[in-house]
Amino acid sequence: MRRTFIPRIAPPEAPHELAWWFVFMNGKLLTQQAEGTAQVPQLNSLNEIGLVPIRTQYLGTLDHQPCYSAELPNDTVSPEGMAFAACGSSTVFWTKTCLP
């Protein structure tokens, strides 16, 4: 399945129902763990899972859904059902697993 990413600088004016959140801590990506897969979380905001980022950045849209990146403090504990995975590790599959 081909996906369409459109890079942007300014976030949408109105809040969106869900967004892809590429959240990093110490060079590791936060993934949602489910049924043996690791996926990039889709959330309204990081507040809903109790995370307070150092900074966030709007990236654009992936298949019309907003995408953000965020950096977390180095002592952040992953929320329940989520884990930090080393980028490029075998637990992160960009083509099919991380982005369903």
Side-chain angles (χ1 to χ4, degrees):
M1 175 167 119
R2 185 175 172 98
R3 295 183 172 276
T4 302
F5 177 73
I6 300 172
R8 296 278 187 245
I9 296 172
E13 289 181 23
H16 198 274
E17 63 277 0
L18 282 178
W20 294 104
W21 282 90
F22 295 87
V23 181
F24 296 90
M25 191 249 338
N26 237 5
K28 295 181 180 179
L29 176 67
L30 181 67
T31 58
Q32 192 163 7
Q33 309 292 303
E35 299 175 18
T37 64
Q39 298 179 351
V40 172
Q42 290 181 295
L43 306 163
N44 293 317
S45 76
L46 294 179
N47 293 339
E48 70 185 76
I49 56 172
L51 296 178
V52 179
I54 295 170
R55 67 179 119 289
T56 62
Q57 181 175 358
Y58 179 67
L59 302 173
T61 60
L62 179 64
D63 295 337
H64 305 286
Q65 192 169 2
C67 298
Y68 293 87
S69 66
E71 179 185 358
L72 298 175
N74 290 339
D75 61 350
T76 301
V77 175
S78 60
E80 186 174 336
M82 297 187 179
F84 289 100
C87 295
S89 75
S90 60
T91 59
V92 178
F93 302 98
W94 290 103
T95 56
K96 294 183 182 177
T97 306
C98 261
L99 301 172

